[in-house]
Amino acid sequence: MTQAEIKLCSLLLQEHFGEIVEKIGTYLIRTGPQTLRMIINETGLVLDQVKKALCVLIQHNLVTYQLQKRGFVEYEAQCKRVLRILRYPRYIYTAKTLYNDTGELIVEELLLNGKMMMSAVVRKVADRLTETMEDGKTVDYADVSNTFVRLADTHFVQRCPLVSETPESPEATPPSAPTLVINEKDMYVVPRLNLVGKGKRRRSCDEQEEGEPKAKKQKQDGEGSEPSPDDGIYWQVNIDRFHQHFRDQGIVSAVANRMDQTSSEIVRTMLRMSEVTTSSSAPYTQPLSSNEIFRSLPAGYNIVKQVLDQYLTLLADDPLEFVGKSGDSGGGMYTVSILCAGPPTLAFPSSFGSRCARIFRLLLRKKHLEQKQVEDFAMVPAKEAKEMLYKMLSENFVSLQEIPKTPDHAPSRTFYLYTVNVPSSVRMLLHRCYKSVANLMERRQYETRENKRLLEKSQRVEAILASMQATGAEEAQLQEIEEMITVPERQQLENLKRNVNKIDASENQVDETIFVLESFIESTMKKP
C-alpha cells in the first residue's frame, strides 16, 4: 500500500462520509486488521462514534470483519474498494446508457446507500422519477421493478450475503459476530413482489400533511408497520460486472481500431452472448459455435455465413489473438481472449515528448537494444538519444542491463542494453495516477473553500427566487432579487463552475487510465 493510495483513500472517505469515518478508515488502512478496543484507543474517539462509523463502512463494503479463534472480532479496511468510489460516476453513467434514467437511479441509490431492499429501491426511484415529470404524470412501481429485474438478470446488481441460520439452543452463547453466507445460485434471483402503486411527489405529500393525524399518514406512506415481502433480502451493485463491461468495451474498441467495424461488431456479439456465463476473472469467454454467433448477430446487420466465417478466421489468425479457435464442431468453436491486451503504451507521459515515446515503443517491440541501435532504429541524433535514454532511466521508465564478456565486468568488454520492465513501469504510472487524482481533489476543495462565501450567497438567492416563483411573484421583484449578485460575482461564479467541471472531467479521465493499468496488472498476474 503506497502513500499515494492511502492519501487518496483518505480524501475519498472524507469527501463522502465525513471526518470521523475518514479517521477510522484511514487508521485501518494504515495498520491493517484491528479490534474495536484498539481502534478506540488509537483514534481517541468515543465508543458510540466508532461503532456508528464502522457500521457505515461495513454498510458500504469498505470494511470487513472476521471472528478470530479467541473470540474477538477484527475489522479490516478494503483499500481497493475505497478507491472504487472514484469510479461511481462511471458506473451510474453506464447504467443510464444501458437502462435509461430508471437504471441510472437504481444504481445511484444502491451506491449511495450501500445495501437496500428491492422494494425500498423501487419506491425511492419511482418517487424521484415522478418529481421530475410534469404535473399529473407518475411512474408505476411495476416499470421500475422490471428495470431492476433486468439489472439482476445481467448481473449488474446482486444479492448481499445473509446471516447463516444455525439452530438456537438456550445454553449456547451467541457468537460475537454473525456469519454471512450466500448461495451462488441465489445471487441474482429476484423475489416475486407484487408492488402496486405509483411514485409520489414531495409537494403533494406536504400538502396532505395539513390536518391529517400522524397515524393515518404513516399508514398511507409506509403501510403501517407491516414488513415488506422481501424483508431481509438486500441488494448491492456488482462492481466486478461493471468492470467486465468496461473491459469488453475496450476489447471491441481495440478490434475496431485494428480491423474494421464489422469485426468489432462480431466480437461485441460474442461478448454479449457470454457476458453472464463467463466469470469476470476468466481468461477466455465460453466457447461459441459459428452458427450460434451468426444467429445472434444484430437484426438488420447484413452479413452472410460465409463472410462471418472469413472474419472469424481472420480474427483467430491475428497476432494479437483477440479471438481463439477451440474446436471444429458447429462450424467452428471460438472464444474471445480477455488477456489479449498488450502493454499500455498510450499511458506514456506526453511531457517526455514524441521522440521519447518513439524510443519507448521501440524498446517495447525490440526488448533489448544498445544505445547505438536505439539511435539507428529511432532515427534520432546520438546526443538527443543519449539525453532521452538517461532521462527515462532516471524516471524508471527504462532499465539498463549489463552483459559482461569477461568476469571482471570491464566497461570496454561489457554490453549495455536498454530495456523496459513493463510491470514495474505500469506500477509506477499507476502510482502517478493516484497522486494526480489526489492533487485534483485537493485543488477542487481549495477552489470551493476559497469561494465559500460567494457560494453560500448564491444558494440563498436561488432559494429566495424559488420560493418567490412558487408564490407567483412579479417579474420586477424577481429581477430585484437576481441583482443581489453583482456582475463581478456572477463572473467569479462562472469561472469557479468552469474550473470545477474541468477538474471533475480530469478525474474521470485519469480514472480511465487507472482502470487500463489495473486491468493490465491483473492480466499479467493471471498469465502462467
Side-chain angles (χ1 to χ4, degrees):
M1 185 60 58
T2 63
Q3 290 298 320
E5 289 177 284
I6 295 174
K7 182 180 179 182
L8 181 55
C9 288
S10 176
L11 289 170
L12 288 168
L13 289 172
Q14 184 177 15
E15 185 174 279
H16 288 81
F17 301 104
E19 294 182 1
I20 295 176
V21 174
E22 178 270 329
K23 189 172 184 179
I24 293 174
T26 305
Y27 169 73
L28 289 175
I29 290 172
R30 290 182 182 276
T31 59
Q34 296 292 339
T35 61
L36 182 62
R37 184 183 295 274
M38 285 297 298
I39 297 172
I40 295 171
N41 292 339
E42 294 297 327
T43 58
L45 300 171
V46 298
L47 176 62
D48 187 54
Q49 289 178 324
V50 174
K51 283 185 174 180
K52 289 180 179 178
L54 286 173
C55 284
V56 170
L57 291 168
I58 293 172
Q59 172 77 8
H60 289 268
N61 299 316
L62 306 178
V63 164
T64 57
Y65 60 86
Q66 187 173 4
L67 181 62
Q68 301 297 323
K69 293 181 179 179
R70 295 183 179 180
F72 57 85
V73 180
E74 284 188 342
Y75 299 89
E76 183 178 6
Q78 304 297 314
C79 180
K80 294 298 182 183
R81 185 60 179 78
V82 176
L83 293 174
R84 296 297 169 262
I85 297 175
L86 188 66
R87 209 162 289 161
Y88 279 7
R90 197 174 174 191
Y91 300 148
I92 295 170
Y93 179 75
T94 301
K96 179 182 177 67
T97 304
L98 297 175
Y99 300 100
N100 300 323
D101 294 341
T102 306
E104 173 193 10
L105 292 183
I106 290 173
V107 172
E108 183 179 338
E109 286 294 329
L110 288 174
L111 290 174
L112 286 175
N113 295 279
K115 304 178 180 73
M116 290 182 73
M117 291 186 296
M118 176 182 172
S119 56
V121 174
V122 169
R123 291 190 180 96
K124 187 69 178 294
V125 171
D127 292 346
R128 290 183 60 181
L129 288 171
T130 301
E131 288 176 7
T132 61
M133 300 177 74
E134 299 176 359
D135 292 339
K137 293 184 178 181
T138 56
V139 176
D140 290 337
Y141 289 163
D143 295 337
V144 182
S145 180
N146 291 336
T147 304
F148 193 100
V149 171
R150 291 167 59 199
L151 282 165
D153 289 341
T154 51
H155 297 185
F156 283 104
V157 296
Q158 63 184 9
R159 283 193 186 190
C160 301
L162 302 174
V163 179
S164 60
E165 297 180 359
T166 55
E168 295 183 0
S169 59
E171 298 178 357
T173 57
S176 303
T179 303
L180 302 179
V181 294
I182 184 69
N183 188 349
E184 291 186 5
K185 295 181 180 179
D186 299 332
M187 286 184 68
Y188 307 103
V189 176
V190 180
R192 293 183 178 181
L193 301 179
N194 188 18
L195 295 175
V196 179
K198 297 182 178 181
K200 300 176 182 178
R201 299 178 187 272
R202 290 183 184 177
R203 185 176 60 188
S204 61
C205 292
D206 294 340
E207 290 172 355
Q208 290 175 2
E209 283 181 1
E210 299 178 1
E212 285 191 2
K214 187 176 182 181
K216 185 177 179 181
K217 286 183 292 182
Q218 288 180 350
K219 186 176 180 181
Q220 290 178 348
D221 295 338
E223 304 299 335
S225 58
E226 295 180 4
S228 58
D230 62 338
D231 187 31
I233 302 176
Y234 288 87
W235 293 81
Q236 61 187 357
V237 173
N238 186 2
I239 288 180
D240 290 337
R241 177 65 182 88
F242 277 97
H243 290 175
Q244 182 183 348
H245 177 76
F246 299 154
R247 181 202 64 201
D248 292 349
Q249 295 297 105
I251 293 174
V252 171
S253 177
V255 173
N257 293 332
R258 174 80 174 179
M259 304 286 193
D260 60 2
Q261 195 63 36
T262 304
S263 300
S264 67
E265 195 61 44
I266 294 171
V267 173
R268 187 197 304 275
T269 302
M270 296 174 66
L271 291 170
R272 187 175 63 250
M273 293 171 64
S274 57
E275 61 184 358
V276 177
T277 58
T278 301
S279 170
S280 58
S281 58
Y284 299 95
T285 61
Q286 293 294 327
L288 300 169
S289 69
S290 174
N291 296 329
E292 291 176 325
I293 299 170
F294 180 71
R295 288 193 298 267
S296 300
L297 285 172
Y301 204 78
N302 297 323
I303 179 173
V304 297
K305 180 67 168 58
Q306 184 180 2
V307 175
L308 172 64
D309 292 337
Q310 292 174 353
Y311 268 106
L312 289 172
T313 303
L314 187 65
L315 286 165
D317 293 341
D318 188 85
L320 291 182
E321 299 178 351
F322 289 109
V323 173
K325 191 172 183 179
S326 59
D328 296 323
S329 60
M333 302 295 291
Y334 296 91
T335 61
V336 178
S337 175
I338 307 302
L339 308 182
C340 59
T345 55
L346 294 178
F348 188 78
S350 59
S351 58
F352 282 81
S354 60
R355 290 190 174 184
C356 274
R358 187 196 308 169
I359 294 174
F360 186 78
R361 287 194 294 269
L362 177 66
L363 290 173
L364 280 175
R365 189 179 300 114
K366 299 292 186 180
K367 305 299 183 184
H368 296 83
L369 289 176
E370 291 186 276
Q371 181 177 322
K372 184 67 170 64
Q373 292 175 310
V374 171
E375 298 167 9
D376 296 338
F377 283 123
M379 294 183 290
V380 176
K383 183 179 179 182
E384 292 185 17
K386 184 177 181 180
E387 291 176 355
M388 292 173 185
L389 285 170
Y390 286 173
K391 183 179 180 180
M392 289 190 287
L393 185 65
S394 64
E395 295 286 343
N396 296 322
F397 277 100
V398 300
S399 57
L400 192 61
Q401 185 175 355
E402 298 181 4
I403 302 179
K405 295 180 182 178
T406 55
D408 59 355
H409 285 261
S412 59
R413 294 184 294 275
T414 301
F415 292 109
Y416 294 94
L417 302 179
Y418 289 94
T419 185
V420 177
N421 186 345
V422 177
S424 176
S425 300
V426 169
R427 286 185 171 86
M428 183 191 61
L429 287 171
L430 188 60
H431 175 74
R432 290 191 174 194
C433 288
Y434 288 140
K435 288 183 65 175
S436 299
V437 176
N439 292 339
L440 287 167
M441 292 183 67
E442 288 183 330
R443 182 64 190 182
R444 186 179 67 244
Q445 293 174 0
Y446 171 80
E447 292 281 351
T448 307
R449 189 169 54 249
E450 288 295 307
N451 296 275
K452 183 179 179 180
R453 183 195 62 81
L454 186 57
L455 287 171
E456 291 176 351
K457 180 180 178 180
S458 174
Q459 290 173 358
R460 287 196 302 270
V461 170
E462 289 177 359
I464 294 171
L465 283 172
S467 62
M468 292 184 68
Q469 286 175 350
T471 56
E474 297 179 359
E475 189 66 30
Q477 293 176 316
L478 298 176
Q479 186 70 24
E480 184 178 351
I481 298 298
E482 290 179 354
E483 290 176 355
M484 292 174 61
I485 299 181
T486 62
V487 175
E489 288 177 335
R490 202 173 297 279
Q491 291 178 350
Q492 190 175 350
L493 280 171
E494 291 176 358
N495 290 335
L496 174 63
K497 184 178 180 180
R498 184 167 56 252
N499 292 338
V500 170
N501 288 339
K502 285 182 179 179
I503 292 173
D504 290 340
S506 299
E507 286 182 21
N508 293 331
Q509 289 174 354
V510 176
D511 180 65
E512 290 180 7
T513 304
I514 290 174
F515 177 74
V516 172
L517 297 174
E518 288 178 342
S519 300
F520 176 76
I521 292 174
E522 291 176 3
S523 67
T524 54
M525 291 174 64
K526 293 174 186 174
K527 286 183 178 180

